[in-house]
Amino acid sequence: MKTIDALLAEGVAGKRVFVRADLNVPLDGTTITDDGRIRAVLPTVKALAEAGARVVVASHLGRPKGAPDPAYSLAPAASRLGELLGTAVAFATDTVGESATATVAGLGDGEVAVVENLRFNPGETAKDAAERGAFADQLAALADAYVGDGFGAVHRAHASTVDLPARLPHYAGYLIATEVGVLKKLTEDVKRPYVVALGGAKVSDKLAVIDQLLGKADRLLIGGGMAYTFLKAQGHEIGASLLQEDQVPVVREYLRRAEESGVELVLPVDVLVAGEFPDLRTKAPAHPTVVAADAIPAGQQGLDIGPETRKLYASKLADAATVFWNGPMGVFEHPDYAEGTKVVAQALIDSPGFTVVGGGDSAAAVRILGFDEQAFGHISTGGGASLEYLEGKTLPGLAALED
């Protein structure tokens, strides 16, 4: 695929360049609680603006139902983008209507605008190709060239990720080029030992990637809510811990395959438990108890890996040449259950190998828990996209950028 460098070499002064970014940031009302995805697109936007392009930035945010919804407005993201760029950023209150048309027409060379949430338009996510295409035609009227840089959305076959690049000269932005380069290091000629740490709530979200990794990774460390389905598959009682009962037979088969193929699949040996889920709003003390992972009492739920498991997982990461981490080890948003995730993050920093944080909650945890992002080899902006790439799937938004 051609990158933004090819576009810059062709010359962009005076041209309208549509940048499909991922500004899908978490909001508390109108306050952005993590601006990592906005900062990730800055190199692309800056390069285009400095070269004299008239930059039109577009993104989705949340899941509005194909109609305007103030709760999902991109206005806060546009404001933050302007702060980070150190310049005014115009904001269109629609995506392809009068405001967008006028805002884009009013741009001067080197200026930037953000249009409103793409998903306020039903054509963005429509399953009908003609409906998506009609919306893409409207978007294409706003630009002379397309730059795909919203890695977090490339696993979706939407109008702005697939249909629009088919209508304009198209290029990969710096973020997407970096993300793809990193993922190739995890799938092609991987340096070993290759250790993967997986967490998060649902084992079903990770089944396909586990299936692929059983033939590629040397070690799999399992934490978070998904660990309890693994423990159940081993025949242990897990109390009131999170369980996907329907996935137990699949997980049992994965445990068998791991043993047969020589992949070291490591599960918690102890966990922090409590009788109720912690209050994440007030962060009131939770007073958890440490118990063996195979002896969780009835009525108690596991909410973080325990101290012995933290030591174990840190030791399993210590000699890794390549590490991929996706999913927290516990309810990291509460201080009483954050230590497991902290220890895994620190183990990645201490590792001599190439370390990748696989987006989503893991990336948020790195920032929320105060780690230096530069201490990791790479922090992905797209958890779902990263996992699907590792699963071996074709990502529609990447395929659309191919020459």
Side-chain angles (χ1 to χ4, degrees), residues 135-308:
F135 181 49
D137 287 339
Q138 292 179 290
L139 291 171
L142 298 174
D144 304 304
Y146 175 94
V147 172
D149 215 30
F151 181 72
V154 295
H155 58 316
R156 306 297 187 198
H158 291 166
S160 66
T161 58
V162 172
D163 302 273
L164 180 56
R167 287 159 168 76
L168 293 170
H170 47 269
Y171 309 82
Y174 290 129
L175 174 61
I176 279 187
T178 298
E179 293 272 13
V180 171
V182 166
L183 288 168
K184 284 183 176 179
K185 289 185 179 181
L186 299 178
T187 54
E188 303 172 11
D189 193 27
V190 181
K191 293 183 179 179
R192 299 183 180 280
Y194 179 18
V195 184
V196 177
L198 296 175
K202 294 182 178 180
V203 69
S204 57
D205 293 342
K206 307 290 191 336
L207 285 178
V209 76
I210 292 171
D211 184 59
Q212 286 291 315
L213 290 169
L214 283 174
K216 294 184 174 71
D218 298 298
R219 281 178 218 135
L220 289 176
L221 315 180
I222 306 295
M226 62 185 288
Y228 303 101
T229 300
F230 277 84
L231 292 168
K232 184 71 172 179
Q234 287 186 323
H236 303 309
E237 291 302 320
I238 60 168
S241 303
L242 187 63
L243 171 66
Q244 289 188 279
E245 187 78 52
D246 60 325
Q247 303 299 334
V248 169
V250 180
V251 168
R252 192 174 288 128
E253 172 62 14
Y254 284 173
L255 289 166
R256 185 197 66 76
R257 280 177 53 196
E259 184 174 4
E260 188 178 78
S261 62
V263 175
E264 189 179 1
L265 199 156
V266 188
L267 297 176
V269 294
D270 61 346
V271 296
L272 267 63
V273 301
E276 59 183 19
F277 198 82
D279 188 328
L280 300 183
R281 185 178 57 84
T282 65
K283 306 283 197 300
H287 307 298
T289 303
V290 178
V291 300
D294 60 357
I296 299 174
Q300 299 283 299
Q301 56 183 308
L303 296 165
D304 192 16
I305 56 174
E308 293 304 315

Side-chain angles (χ1 to χ4, degrees), residues 121-145:
N121 302 268
E124 168 67 358
T125 58
K127 298 197 181 300
D128 179 69
E131 187 177 354
R132 285 200 321 274
F135 181 49
D137 287 339
Q138 292 179 290
L139 291 171
L142 298 174
D144 304 304

Side-chain angles (χ1 to χ4, degrees), residues 233-397:
Q234 287 186 323
H236 303 309
E237 291 302 320
I238 60 168
S241 303
L242 187 63
L243 171 66
Q244 289 188 279
E245 187 78 52
D246 60 325
Q247 303 299 334
V248 169
V250 180
V251 168
R252 192 174 288 128
E253 172 62 14
Y254 284 173
L255 289 166
R256 185 197 66 76
R257 280 177 53 196
E259 184 174 4
E260 188 178 78
S261 62
V263 175
E264 189 179 1
L265 199 156
V266 188
L267 297 176
V269 294
D270 61 346
V271 296
L272 267 63
V273 301
E276 59 183 19
F277 198 82
D279 188 328
L280 300 183
R281 185 178 57 84
T282 65
K283 306 283 197 300
H287 307 298
T289 303
V290 178
V291 300
D294 60 357
I296 299 174
Q300 299 283 299
Q301 56 183 308
L303 296 165
D304 192 16
I305 56 174
E308 293 304 315
T309 304
R310 295 169 205 156
K311 293 177 189 175
L312 174 65
Y313 284 14
S315 71
K316 297 294 183 182
L317 290 162
D319 67 342
T322 305
V323 182
F324 175 71
W325 169 37
N326 181 283
M329 296 292 106
V331 187
F332 73 91
E333 300 92 340
H334 192 285
D336 289 351
Y337 301 105
E339 197 60 31
T341 301
K342 284 182 181 177
V343 166
V344 167
Q346 187 61 51
L348 262 71
I349 291 173
D350 295 339
S351 168
F354 179 61
T355 57
V356 179
V357 180
D361 286 342
S362 308
V366 164
R367 290 186 276 268
I368 290 169
L369 298 176
F371 289 97
D372 178 5
E373 294 179 55
Q374 303 305 313
F376 300 87
H378 179 70
I379 298 179
S380 179
T381 57
S386 295
L387 289 176
E388 290 197 16
Y389 190 102
L390 294 180
E391 289 166 20
K393 291 183 178 179
T394 296
L395 305 187

